[in-house]
Amino acid sequence: MGSFDKFKIWVLCICLVSELGYGFYLPGSYPHKYGVGDYLNVKVNSLTSIDTELPYSYYSLPFCKPEEGVKDSAENLGELLMGDRIENSPYRFKMYTNETEVFLCQTKPLSADEFKLLKERIDEMYQVNLILDNLPAIRYTKKENYFLRWTGYPVGIKVQDAYYVFNHLKFTVLVHKFEETNVARVMGTGDGSEVISTVGNEGSDAPGYMVVGFEVVPCSFQHTPDSLKNLKMYNKLPSPIKCDPTTVSMAIKENEPVSFTYEVNFVESDIKWPSRWDAYLKMEGAKVHWFSILNSLMVITFLAGIVLVIFLRTIRRDLARYDELDKEAQAQMNEELSGWKLVVGDVFRAPSNPGLLCAMVGDGVQILGMAVVTIMFAALGFMSPASRGTLITGMLFFYMILGVAAGYVSVRLWRTIFCGDHKGWVGVAWKAACFFPGLSFLILTVLNFLLWGSHSTGAIPFSLFVVLILLWFCISVPLTLIGGYLGAKAPHIEYPVRTNQIPREIPAQKYPSWLLVLGAGTLPFGTLFIELFFIMSSLWMGRVYYVFGFLLIVMILLVVVCAEVSLVLTYMHLCVEDWKWWWKSFFASGSVAIYIFLYSINYLIFDLKSLSGPVSATLYLGYSLFMVLAIMFATGTVGFLSSFWFVHYLFSSVKLD
């Protein structure tokens, strides 16, 4: 089969996948058909706050509990790592059945601890997150003639010295008539599968509806004691409730109960099921977002292109001039000229700490491959926010599988440095399998102790810690060792020149070479600092990030710029007879992590000004450190591999004896 035929088959497969994605909505679960009167159960997620970044369980506060008891929903690995805790709630609706003044419960008189905790959660601006048919509750607020979208609603509000709780919820459920009557009724997954009941018989024309929107308006309403007498859950209150979000009246007091009620209104909408997430994925200032990124991409591409053209022209002119000379003139030129030609006997001398370098390069290949594959799948729609936790789960899966690449690259580089010697390859493979994961576990363990101490749902349960360690040592490590074995069997890369026994003395430099290396990270940082703002806002401000197509473009450009910057720095060092280029080429592009960490500190000071408490700040800096370490490994690997290819190509293109 020819290459063109293979290409046509791949194109056909991609088209089929695209059609399936359009027809069956790959990003989330399948559409659920509900008949009129079918029960819709609302679920609750962890309470969250951008002031503390510490999620807590919904039932850590004195809220109403369902009659059947609190039950956890099925959660994937990504949800647990992100601190999501999906649980059932007492809120339930009947499809296409409007209800008002529905009594939920009256809590016991608030104890001193409950009263204090409620006040703390209100002060810390905690949000209640509700979920219906996999859709988070969305709240609209009007500000200066335009609407702001928020997911969830606040626990309460402080007015002067009094604390008020939002105890009445006005729900609006947008529904769309089910049109595909011949499709199987129940194709749901996750939290939708347990609440679906069969509608009618086969071939029945009974109308069915799909949930395409879930809105909430929180209110604070003071109920009279007489109106709540002898009421049970889901009974109708005898007096009407006027839900006015601009006024508050339900003040919480110690030793007094809190009553909770709700109302629900169903509205038929033109929104189709595949488009129901559009309201969550739309970002404020979208035009500015796209224009800024495009402008940044164009500027950085232009600058990188200029650097590349000048760089290639300089080397080609140098090589052409050298090749035009005869052997006698070349010998004389070797004696008279300085520069990269004089380090021919040292340029491939083994670097210091070669095992560590090989392990870091192998880990960088693994991290970079994981990032590229994950972003590609996310850009194709396979990891939508509709499927909670799939992004983190996918990252873990791809990272473990790419352990083969980490082992292969690290061991083959080790054998290349030592000219084909197999000795010590197992140790290098073990370093590649344990170095970055070990640093990650160290950081996460320290942060997890802080979360455990705060009783936050963001803390990784001990059982999950055991699962992660088993995944590490039972899947990732063996795959890395297999990759190392393949790297040991593969032929090493032969050097084009011999290495002298005695190292050449490096001349005194006019400026510290490491200063130039650290400054080289500014150009790669310029390619992503705008996109970094939106990513940070998604991580810490509760916004939804879903422009993975642009992120993929930015990442490709980042790889190109990192390679170019490292090439330029390596060439500059060789020109001043500094043959110790190995580590410098790694950190020339890897130094972008320093600027990202400084940006994270800047974001903490100026954008997360309300972040309260040393625990929250430590968590933020700890996760930021984890992120920049991964970025340093990935970008440093790009710089090193491109510099290694360049040095090998440069010294194999000209005869230097």
Side-chain angles (χ1 to χ4, degrees), residues 15 19 33 62 171 207 246 358 390 423 468 596:
C15 291
E19 281 298 315
K33 176 184 175 182
F171 295 106
T246 60
C358 294
T390 53
K423 186 178 179 181
L468 291 175
I596 294 177

Side-chain angles (χ1 to χ4, degrees), residues 6 193 233 374 407 449 485 543:
K6 293 180 180 179
S193 58
M233 187 175 287
T374 303
F449 276 116
Y485 175 78
R543 298 173 185 171

Side-chain angles (χ1 to χ4, degrees), residues 42-225:
V42 177
K43 299 201 172 185
V44 291
N45 203 343
S46 300
L47 305 173
T48 56
S49 169
I50 61 174
D51 275 15
T52 66
E53 302 296 346
L54 297 172
Y56 289 99
S57 171
Y58 174 83
Y59 293 107
S60 63
L61 293 182
F63 290 139
C64 300
K65 296 182 180 180
E67 294 176 323
E68 66 273 16
V70 179
K71 298 177 182 178
D72 291 332
S73 294
E75 293 164 320
N76 57 47
L77 191 60
E79 285 182 277
L80 292 171
L81 291 174
M82 291 297 292
D84 288 338
R85 296 295 182 271
I86 314 297
E87 297 167 314
N88 60 334
S89 82
Y91 294 102
R92 72 178 188 186
F93 316 140
K94 291 182 179 179
M95 172 56 77
Y96 224 103
T97 304
N98 297 336
E99 295 179 281
T100 58
E101 294 92 33
V102 180
F103 175 73
L104 207 57
C105 79
Q106 185 178 46
T107 66
K108 296 178 181 178
L110 296 178
S111 65
D113 291 338
E114 290 174 333
F115 178 65
K116 181 182 177 182
L117 187 61
L118 260 177
K119 291 196 301 181
E120 287 180 0
R121 296 293 180 260
I122 293 173
D123 283 333
E124 293 165 344
M125 298 177 61
Y126 267 86
Q127 303 282 315
V128 179
N129 299 293
L130 305 179
I131 301 170
L132 176 65
D133 194 45
N134 206 33
L135 280 180
I138 194 168
R139 176 170 57 95
Y140 292 93
T141 57
K142 191 174 183 180
K143 184 178 180 181
E144 297 178 0
N145 297 323
Y146 64 91
F147 284 95
L148 295 176
R149 289 180 292 271
W150 308 86
T151 53
Y153 66 92
V155 172
I157 190 172
K158 181 181 180 182
V159 179
Q160 295 178 353
D161 293 331
Y163 290 85
Y164 298 87
V165 68
F166 291 116
N167 62 327
H168 179 80
L169 302 180
K170 181 179 180 180
F171 295 106
T172 301
V173 181
L174 305 180
V175 295
H176 187 82
K177 186 170 288 186
F178 195 84
E179 298 169 353
E180 301 291 337
T181 55
N182 294 325
V183 182
R185 288 180 179 78
V186 179
M187 297 189 294
T189 58
D191 55 13
S193 58
E194 62 187 72
V195 298
I196 300 175
S197 60
T198 305
V199 183
N201 301 320
E202 290 294 331
S204 173
D205 294 330
Y209 294 92
M210 299 172 292
V211 177
V212 294
F214 183 38
E215 301 172 6
V216 62
V217 176
C219 301
S220 178
F221 186 82
Q222 180 68 56
H223 296 279
T224 59

Side-chain angles (χ1 to χ4, degrees), residues 379-440:
L380 291 173
F382 286 90
M383 296 178 181
S384 164
S387 300
R388 290 181 302 273
T390 53
L391 190 65
I392 302 296
T393 306
M395 291 173 66
L396 283 173
F397 174 77
F398 294 131
Y399 180 82
M400 289 188 298
I401 297 300
L402 288 169
V404 176
Y408 178 85
V409 171
S410 57
V411 170
R412 194 174 182 199
L413 178 60
W414 170 265
R415 293 188 60 232
T416 298
I417 291 175
F418 292 99
C419 303
D421 189 6
H422 292 77
K423 186 178 179 181
W425 75 265
V426 177
V428 173
W430 268 102
K431 285 181 181 178
C434 299
F435 187 59
F436 178 74
L439 291 175
S440 304

Side-chain angles (χ1 to χ4, degrees), residues 24 202 204 269 325 444 466 483 492 612 642 645 648:
F24 295 103
E202 290 294 331
S204 173
S269 171
L325 302 176
L444 291 177
V466 174
H492 69 282
S612 60
S642 58
W645 169 83
H648 190 278

Side-chain angles (χ1 to χ4, degrees), residues 297 299-305 307 520-527 554-568 588-589 635 638-639 642:
L297 292 175
V299 171
I300 297 302
T301 305
F302 180 70
L303 292 176
V307 171
T522 54
L523 190 59
F525 178 72
T527 65
V554 170
M555 188 170 186
I556 293 172
L557 190 60
L558 176 65
V559 169
V560 173
V561 174
C562 285
E564 292 172 349
V565 166
S566 187
L567 290 181
V568 173
S589 54
T635 55
V638 171
S642 58

